[in-house]
Structure formats: structure tokens, C-alpha cells
């Protein structure tokens, strides 16, 4: 057997020495793809296991009668769910194309993928064989992430007096229990049909009761499938990942001991949204003025009936739209499964439109001219990196049309050719994550080292310049395996600035921010690398049929280049909560410019009748201080000492000086607050760029 040297000893990976000699000879002619020697044991993970359900998992159509109508007579859960990628996760042609290549690269890897793409099929024991051929063509196997999966899901961390008492027996009955960081399909599903939700209902209420489960309003529920790790790899000192022992489960099952494939939950967990609800101006819809959890944004709340049979209307029913960024695959599902998917062409269009509208709220775009340069700023308004999730083929970029005085385009940055689906990446900023292979794994598999779409083999992060969320801290993100690679973001920076030289004769610039679900490079990989079946061809044909994953215009702004404008100040970090539960707010009014007239710092919601100091710094940081977070980078100066009025408010006018122009300063107020144990309060930070 071929023995592979690693940081944890010598590992058995491939077949006989004959295989090695043949590989070496073949590589002299051309690269040869050799699958790693994985078995089903390598992809064993904790949580509920196949065959463990005492009561059948009901297919979603059983819920349709009471939860179908999206109008006045019901909550519309089923109607919205069936148009989401959650419902159609098993029918997704991109999934099937990627599954084939995953099994080619690492035998039995497909079962690991199906844990989340068809949890019903997995629990029924139909995810074996790993190519999906054991899945039934109907019923729970095809329901994606269905009602039964989510509403029978159990919090893996039992909390007495909070979790349903029934969870004790469920957790005790597991043969392999997940830890507190359940991920990668390590969900726990109640073997009995005991349904859970935010509200508890008596068993006599209509057709079924509901156990009150706070877990169903927590982001940790989403972590089950939105933090994804590869158990074939072990984390090594120094941040590298090496091959695990073959034909054996991972030693710890902890996500931080495996290679990070996706870290959407962890990104959220390290953002300000995980600390306290944030006011995002209602941009993600729903009845909530402040949002915190995944559910708050991706399942916005509405006032609705709990079911179609007249139960009391509630003000905070979560829509089951499961909003995301996928802009075309649901149309492919409808085309491939016009009857089985349960959605019409118009319903598929409506689902895509919801996603597009949601995506367009994810960022703010601003641009301003400064001498011979145009500065473009993209601000992440989400609770995770932007973009996030499944990284392969997904990207966001800046596009600029430079116009002359007659409105004619004279140059383009970030140009996209719709006919060929090619993007000019050389002269713009593209936000994306790119995984890859180190030299060791590349040599073992016949691949080139570096960037790779072979996600089940990848063991490096080659690039990740995606914009962090508000509250970003580099050390914390590194600790949860969500590092920034190939870019620099200061602590608390949730925006990115790109500077473009202004071309000669350019009079104006039209700046756009685009997002694309599936790049040409990725879809061609799925087509060309699949030697197993026609799933790559099917995905490619659908990509062609549905506009080649046409980029979605997220934001647009036009800048006159003969004028100089200031970028608006905006907050970062998080304020220290007061004893009354409120958060003080630091904002500004006016324009931070020499010629702009009145410019004023405004503080609201602070402790009344107290002395306060507004500090100015030179950048951002993140330090625990006075029971809150100090986010203004020293050296600090006392910008102003003021007295907060009886309403907790104060205004600080400032005359912008010529010496301020072109400088970016950061601000944070500290004040006395007797309602907190340390007797001090802090606002969030504010960054201000001064201009003419």
C-alpha cells in the first residue's frame, strides 16, 4: 500500500505500489486523476442516523392542506417553501453535477453531500449508494429540506427549563451525539413525530400539537447545514490541513479540526448581529425593526394566521420563503421537473424575483471623485461575509462605464460579455472565495496545485476577499476558519474601497455592483470533469437555457467626475447596552466637507445628564474595554467634551477645515452611565472621510 507522510504520522491512502508506478509513468505524459481511497467510514458523522426514525418522515404535501394559501386564509408556508432552494435541494442540477465529481474524486463522498441535500433520503437509508441511485423518485427523498426535517429537529444542547423535556430521551437515544458545534449535517431529528416550533400548541389543536422550541428561532439551527467541513482532513499546527486516517471516522468531529468548506453560520456568529439585534432600516422586510438571527432576514416576519383554519393571527409568523442569492437554478428545477417539483413557471419566476430583491438589499454602493481617481465603496449590510455560502462559481464584482461629455462609453472596468459569459477580472475587484490543493494533495491526485473546483479534495483557501460583516475581528474570524486571504480588512471594517484612475475625456462614471450565482468557469468544470454520467451536461444545458446565470445588478450609482463628493459617514462596531436595554447611537448630519456648511455629530439614547467625551482616532480596532468594545484605534484625541441632556441626547457641531480634507477619522463617545456595573457607556464607532 502507498504510505503518505503527514503531520500526524504515516497514512494509507491509495492502492498498491503498482498504482503508484503507473501514475508516475502516466504523469510524464499528462495529468492523471486518481481518486483518494475513502470509504463510507471516512464520512461518518454524529447526529441522527439512517433507519433511526420510529415514525415516518411525512412528505411536505401532507402539510399543504393547512399551510398552502399565501393569502388571507393561511400562512402560505407551503406555497413559499416549494419555491425555495430548500425545497428543491434534491432536484438542483448543480448539486447532481457536483455530486458526480465528488464521488469520482473521493469514493462515498456523495453520502456526505446528501445529508443536507436530501436529509429525508439520508435518514431513510437511501443515500447509499453514494451516487444517489438509491433515492426514491418521489416522496420524502425528493423533498429537499422539508417540513418534517426542520420541525422535528432537536437542539443538540439540552437546556433544562428551556428545551422541550422530550428532547432528553431523543438525545439519550443517539448512538453518536453531536457536540455543541453541530455542523455538516449533524442534525438531530426526533424519531417520533413530535413537531416543534416557536409556539407550543396543545395536541387537541386541530391535527397535531407543537412543542415550544426556542431552538427554532436561533441561528444555531441553521448551522447544521450552513457550516460545512470536510472530515477527510485534519487541521494541523500553522493553519494547514492534512489527510486523515483512511477508512475511519474523524477523531473529534469538531468543525475546527476539519477543513472549512463553508462558514456562513460562523461568520454570523462573529458579527454584531450575534451580539444584539441591529436596525437595518427595514431593508430585509418583515415586521421587525431590528434583526439578529438568520431567520429574521431569510424568513422575514409577517402578521398572519398560524394555519388555514382560523387559529389566532400572530404578528411574528416567519415566512417560509428562505430567501437567498440563487438567481436561476429554481427555474432549471421547474424546467427539469415540471410536475414533480410542484411549481409552475410563474411561481419559479416569483421565487427568483424574491431572491433578486433580497440580494439587492445586501449592500450599499457609493462612489466619489478625488483628483484623478474614482473611489468606489461597497458596504456589507448582511450578517455574514458578502457573498457567502457555497463558494464555487459565486462572485460579486464592481463594473464601471466611463462616459464622455456626450454620454458615450469610452472605457469599461469589470466588463461582462453576456454572449460568452466572460468577465474581465483584470481591471476590477471581484469578491469571491477560491479553494485549492496544496502540493501534497495535488501530487497524490494528479491535479495541479493551487485553485481548484474539486471541493471534496480541496485543502487550502487560495483567496477570500469577500467583505466581512459588521463587527468583523480578524483574530476571531481566523479562529472559526473564516480568514481573509488576499485582502486586508481592519477590525470592524465591513466595507471595501477600490480606487480606479479616471480615463482621459471621462466626464461621468456609471458604477454598478453585480452578483453571479454560477460562473462560466465553474459550469464548464462541471461539464468537462464529469466522466461518470450526464449530470454535468444536464447542468450545463440548463445554464445555457436560463441565461447563463445572468449577473444580478445589486446596486448602481452615477458620478459626475467634474465635482468632488464626500462619502457619507457610517457606523461600525456595536455600542455598549445600557441598563435599560437601549443602545446609544452616534450619527452625523450635514456633509463632512469644507464647503458643505453645517456638519454635526449627533448622539441619542445615552445616559441623561452625564458628562461625555467624543474621541477621535486614526482607524478601527476591537478591544474589550469598560464592559463594551473600544473600536477607535489610538492614538486618541479628545475631540469634544460635552454634557448629555435630560433626554440622553447631545449635538456637537464641527467646522471642517482645509487640513481635514482627504483624511479618514474614526469616532466613539464614552460617557458616565450609572446603570451599568462599570459606570461607563460607549457608543458604536463612526468613520468620517472629510472632503472639499
Amino acid at each position: 500500500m502507498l504510505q503518505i507522510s503527514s503531520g500526524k504520522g504515516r497514512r494509507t491512502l491509495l492502492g498498491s505500489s503498482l498504482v503508484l508506478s503507473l501514475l508516475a509513468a502516466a504523469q510524464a505524459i499528462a495529468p492523471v486523476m486518481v481518486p483518494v481511497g475513502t470509504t463510507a467510514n471516512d464520512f461518518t458523522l454524529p447526529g441522527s442516523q439512517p433507519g433511526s426514525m420510529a415514525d415516518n418522515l411525512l412528505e411536505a404535501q401532507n402539510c399543504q392542506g393547512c399551510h398552502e394559501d399565501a393569502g388571507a386564509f393561511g400562512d402560505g408556508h407551503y406555497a413559499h417553501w416549494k419555491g425555495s432552494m430548500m425545497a428543491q435541494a434534491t432536484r438542483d442540477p448543480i448539486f447532481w453535477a457536483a455530486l458526480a465529481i465528488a464521488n469520482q474524486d473521493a469514493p462515498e463522498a456523495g453520502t456526505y453531500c446528501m445529508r443536507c441535500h436530501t436529509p429525508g433520503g439520508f435518514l431513510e437509508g437511501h443515500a447509499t449508494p453514494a451516487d444517489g441511485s438509491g433515492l426514491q423518485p418521489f416522496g420524502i427523498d425528493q423533498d429537499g429540506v422539508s417540513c418534517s426535517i426542520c420541525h422535528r429537529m432537536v437542539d443538540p444542547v439540552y437546556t433544562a427549563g428551556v428545551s422541550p423535556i422530550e428532547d432528553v430521551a431523543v438525545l439519550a437515544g443517539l448512538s453518536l451525539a453531536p457536540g455543541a458545534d453541530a455542523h455538516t449535517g449533524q442534525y438531530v431529528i426526533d424519531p417520533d413525530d413530535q413537531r416543534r416550533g416557536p409556539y407550543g400548541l396543545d395536541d387537541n389543536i386541530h391535527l397535531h400539537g407543537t412543542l415550544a422550541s426556542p431552538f427554532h428561532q436561533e441561528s444555531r439551527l441553521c448551522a447544521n447545514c450552513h457550516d460545512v467541513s470536510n472530515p477527510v482532513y485534519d487541521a494541523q499546527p500553522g493553519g494547514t490541513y492534512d489527510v486523515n486516517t483512511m477508512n475511519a471516522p474523524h477523531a473529534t468531529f469538531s468543525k475546527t479540526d476539519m477543513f472549512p468548506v463553508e462558514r456562513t453560520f460562523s461568520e454570523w456568529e462573529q458579527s454584531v448581529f450575534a451580539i444584539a439585534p441591529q436596525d437595518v432600516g427595514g431593508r430585509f422586510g418583515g415586521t421587525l425593526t431590528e434583526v439578529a438571527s438568520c431567520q429574521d432576514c431569510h424568513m422575514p416576519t409577517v402578521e398572519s394566521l398560524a394555519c388555514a383554519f382560523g387559529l389566532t393571527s400572530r404578528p411574528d409568523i416567519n415566512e417560509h420563503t428562505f430567501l437567498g442569492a440563487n438567481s436561476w437554478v429554481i427555474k432549471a428545477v421547474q424546467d427539469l421537473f415540471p410536475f414533480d417539483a410542484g411549481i409552475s413557471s410563474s411561481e419559479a419566476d416569483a421565487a427568483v424575483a424574491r431572491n433578486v430583491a433580497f440580494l439587492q438589499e445586501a449592500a450599499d454602493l457609493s462612489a466619489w471623485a478625488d483628483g484623478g481617481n474614482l473611489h468606489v465603496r461597497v458596504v456589507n449590510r448582511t450578517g455574514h461575509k458578502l457573498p457567502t455560502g457555497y463558494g464555487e462559481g459565486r462572485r460579486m464584482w464592481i463594473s464601471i462605464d466611463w462616459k464622455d461629455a456626450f454620454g458615450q462609453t469610452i472605457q469599461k472596468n469589470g466588463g461582462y460579455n453576456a454572449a460568452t459569459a466572460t468577465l474581465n477580472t483584470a481591471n476590477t475587484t471581484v469578491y469571491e472565495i477560491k479553494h485549492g490543493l496544496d502540493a501534497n494533495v495535488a501530487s497524490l491526485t494528479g491535479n495541479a496545485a493551487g485553485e481548484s473546483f474539486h471541493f471534496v479534495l480541496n485543502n487550502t483557501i487560495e483567496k477570500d476577499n469577500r467583505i466581512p460583516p459588521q463587527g468583523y475581528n480578524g483574530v476571531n474570524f481566523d479562529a472559526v476558519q473564516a480568514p481573509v486571504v488576499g485582502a486586508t480588512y481592519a477590525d470592524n471594517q465591513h466595507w471595501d474601497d477600490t480606487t480606479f484612475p479616471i480615463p482621459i475625456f471621462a466626464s461621468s462614471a456609471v458604477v454598478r455592483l453585480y452578483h453571479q450565482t454560477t460562473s462560466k468557469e465553474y459550469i464548464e468544470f462541471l461539464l468537462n470533469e464529469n466522466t461518470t454520467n450526464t449530470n454535468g451536461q444536464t447542468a450545463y444545458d440548463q445554464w445555457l437555457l436560463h441565461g447563463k446565470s445572468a449577473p444580478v445588478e445589486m446596486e448602481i450609482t452615477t458620478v459626475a467626475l467634474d465635482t468632488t463628493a464626500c462619502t457619507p459617514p457610517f457606523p461600525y462596531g456595536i455600542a455598549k447596552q445600557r441598563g435599560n436595554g437601549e443602545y446609544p447611537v452616534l450619527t452625523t448630519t450635514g456633509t463632512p466637507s469644507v464647503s458643505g456648511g453645517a456638519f454635526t455629530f449627533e448622539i441619542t439614547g445615552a445616559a441623561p445628564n452625564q458628562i461625555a467625551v467624543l474621541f477621535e482616532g486614526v482607524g478601527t480596532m476591537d478591544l474589550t474595554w469598560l464592559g463594551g468594545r473600544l473600536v477607535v484605534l489610538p492614538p486618541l484625541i479628545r475631540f469634544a467634551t460635552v454634557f448629555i441632556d435630560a433626554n440622553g441626547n447631545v449635538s456637537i457641531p464641527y467646522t471642517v477645515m482645509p487640513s481635514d480634507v482627504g483624511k479618514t477619522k474614526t469616532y466613539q463617545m464614552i460617557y458616565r452611565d450609572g446603570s451599568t456595573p462599570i459606570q461607563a457607556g460607549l457608543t458604536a464607532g463612526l468613520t468620517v472621510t472629510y472632503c472639499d
Side-chain angles (χ1 to χ4, degrees), residues 398-529:
I398 298 168
S399 172
I400 305 177
D401 287 302
W402 304 95
K403 306 280 188 177
D404 62 17
F406 303 100
Q408 300 298 310
T409 299
I410 59 175
Q411 184 177 312
K412 196 171 183 73
N413 285 70
Y416 182 81
N417 187 320
T420 61
T422 54
L423 170 66
N424 183 355
T425 62
N427 62 357
T428 192
T429 298
V430 181
Y431 303 99
E432 59 192 343
I433 184 172
K434 289 190 173 182
H435 292 110
L437 309 172
D438 67 12
N440 180 46
V441 174
S443 66
L444 294 171
T445 60
N447 284 288
E451 293 179 6
S452 159
F453 286 130
H454 291 274
F455 89 91
V456 79
L457 298 180
N458 290 335
N459 70 331
T460 65
I461 301 174
E462 299 290 312
K463 173 187 178 182
D464 188 354
N465 70 334
R466 297 174 299 169
I467 305 173
Q470 190 173 351
Y472 167 76
N473 176 288
V475 171
N476 294 343
F477 268 63
D478 288 350
V480 297
Q481 304 169 297
V484 171
V485 179
T488 300
Y489 292 99
D491 285 348
N492 282 297
Q493 182 180 344
H494 60 107
W495 64 91
D496 181 66
D497 293 335
T498 303
T499 299
F500 298 89
I502 298 174
I504 298 176
F505 304 123
S507 178
S508 65
V510 181
V511 185
R512 294 178 174 88
L513 180 67
Y514 284 110
H515 177 275
Q516 187 173 41
T517 301
T518 311
S519 69
K520 176 184 180 181
E521 292 77 11
Y522 182 51
I523 199 72
E524 288 183 344
F525 165 84
L526 295 178
L527 171 67
N528 296 328
E529 294 295 319

Side-chain angles (χ1 to χ4, degrees), residues 58-68 75 77-78 147-148 195 208:
L58 299 178
E59 59 184 292
Q61 283 188 342
N62 286 276
C63 307
Q64 178 178 1
C66 297
H67 300 282
E68 165 71 77
D75 51 34
H77 288 356
Y78 181 83
C147 316
S148 286
R195 304 175 195 183
H208 63 83

Side-chain angles (χ1 to χ4, degrees), residues 239-420:
T240 61
Y241 298 87
D242 200 3
V243 179
N244 225 329
T245 303
M246 293 291 98
N247 195 30
H250 192 275
T252 68
F253 297 122
S254 173
K255 65 184 176 185
T256 54
D257 290 337
M258 303 178 184
F259 178 73
V261 179
E262 299 174 32
R263 282 293 180 269
T264 299
F265 168 78
S266 292
E267 293 160 12
W268 169 88
E269 191 178 32
Q270 299 302 321
S271 77
V272 296
F273 291 87
I275 299 173
Q278 302 296 306
D279 185 350
V280 295
R283 65 174 59 222
F284 297 118
T287 57
L288 298 177
T289 57
E290 297 179 332
V291 295
S293 69
C294 307
Q295 293 90 328
D296 288 347
C297 293
H298 294 270
M299 302 174 65
T301 57
V302 294
E303 183 171 357
S304 174
L305 299 173
C307 77
F309 291 104
L311 290 180
T312 303
S313 179
R314 294 195 174 100
D316 57 353
I317 297 293
N318 289 97
E319 288 189 313
H320 284 43
T321 43
F322 300 104
L323 300 168
N326 200 308
S327 61
W328 72 276
V329 173
I330 196 68
K331 293 184 178 182
V333 169
Q334 196 279 327
D335 186 69
L336 291 168
F337 304 94
F339 304 108
D340 297 344
I343 53 174
S344 66
S345 178
S346 61
E347 287 174 324
D349 289 341
V352 168
R354 287 194 294 268
N355 279 357
V356 168
F358 184 69
L359 185 60
Q360 290 171 335
E361 297 292 350
D364 286 341
L365 176 70
S366 59
W368 64 98
D370 176 17
N373 294 313
L374 179 70
H375 303 280
V376 178
R377 173 168 289 178
V378 181
V379 183
N380 179 4
R381 294 304 189 188
T382 75
H384 43 63
K385 286 186 179 181
L386 186 67
T388 191
Y390 186 73
E392 297 196 308
R394 294 196 176 188
R395 57 191 180 183
M396 189 173 72
W397 71 88
I398 298 168
S399 172
I400 305 177
D401 287 302
W402 304 95
K403 306 280 188 177
D404 62 17
F406 303 100
Q408 300 298 310
T409 299
I410 59 175
Q411 184 177 312
K412 196 171 183 73
N413 285 70
Y416 182 81
N417 187 320
T420 61

Side-chain angles (χ1 to χ4, degrees), residues 1-2 4 12-16 19-20 23 34-37 444-445:
M1 299 293 288
L2 172 61
I4 298 168
T12 301
L13 182 64
L14 301 177
S16 66
V19 173
L20 179 62
L23 172 60
V34 177
V36 298
L444 294 171
T445 60

